[in-house]
Amino acid sequence: MTLAPQAAHQPTDEEAAMSPRADCIADSAGGLTFDVTERGGAGDTHLVLLHRDGRQEVRLPLVPAADGRLRAALPSSVELPEGRWDAYAQSAGGEPERLSPGLNDLRSLVDRAPSGARGHVAVRIPYATKHGNLSVRSWLRAPHAEAGELHIGERELGVRGQVYGVTLTADAYAELTGREETGPARRVEVHRDQARFRFTVAYSELPEGVWNLWLRPAGESGPRIRIARLLDDIADKKPIFTYPKVTLETAYGPVAAGPYYTSDNDLSVAVTTVAARQ
């Protein structure tokens, strides 16, 4: 049975009190455990994760656990394609009920360092939507380039990171592409230390626009990996990780430039023309 996507609405206080609640525990391997309040439904009960595209779902059996609750496990070995997944509880023959978020124990996600032995990095972060419902943000990157420390200079951005699932070679370089892809990509030299990398983005070399950051770990012959920050407990970094912009004169005129994380937690640089100083 496939769930049809439901229109989001702001739940009333009464609805929020009646909806089943799920506490979530994350493990360092990328798995999630859901403990759902008992609803008294008869027959088999499942936790259902429905992708926002409405075409994909994952059903997990809910089994009795301690304190009269039901438990479902999403191990890291079960693939959860990238995207946002809305969480429901459904009893046999019953209608799906949207889950509300309880307590999230995400401590194991902080400073997580996956081995990368499987050739990919799987990240699942439960979070509360703006409508007060439980959803899971999933990433599945193969390979993955994790953004680490960012150094904000007066004329440049320093980026440090680590790659998973692929080897950095002597041909490695970083690449900046315009969001609209109307101009040529910019290459940036990469300094490597085993799986770690660092490079510098000179703002003065970038015309106005949004520039996406990529890693080419094996040069032109290898994969092209979007640089992102995924290995922590923050599902949406765009409103949380904010960085100052610097203003400078360039060959394209005066600009304001600085890094930011997109709604997918990918790293980009925004360059905006500013009025010339009088």
Side-chain angles (χ1 to χ4, degrees), residues 220-240:
E220 292 182 353
S221 63
R224 183 170 176 255
I225 310 171
R226 190 71 166 92
I227 299 174
R229 182 162 181 163
L230 308 180
L231 300 178
D232 56 29
D233 60 344
I234 302 175
D236 187 1
K237 294 177 179 59
K238 190 173 183 179
I240 304 298

Side-chain angles (χ1 to χ4, degrees), residues 177-184 212 214 224:
T177 60
R179 178 70 54 83
E180 305 300 328
E181 297 188 353
T182 55
N212 296 333
W214 303 79
R224 183 170 176 255

Side-chain angles (χ1 to χ4, degrees), residues 31-45:
L32 287 177
T33 299
F34 302 85
D35 282 343
V36 181
T37 52
E38 175 65 74
R39 301 298 290 168
D44 293 337
T45 305

Side-chain angles (χ1 to χ4, degrees), residues 248-272:
L248 67 157
E249 296 287 338
T250 73
Y252 305 99
V255 301
Y260 75 98
Y261 286 103
T262 71
S263 58
D264 289 325
N265 291 355
D266 297 325
L267 182 61
S268 294
V269 169
V271 180
T272 307

Side-chain angles (χ1 to χ4, degrees), residues 22 49 95 227:
L49 296 174
E95 292 296 320
I227 299 174

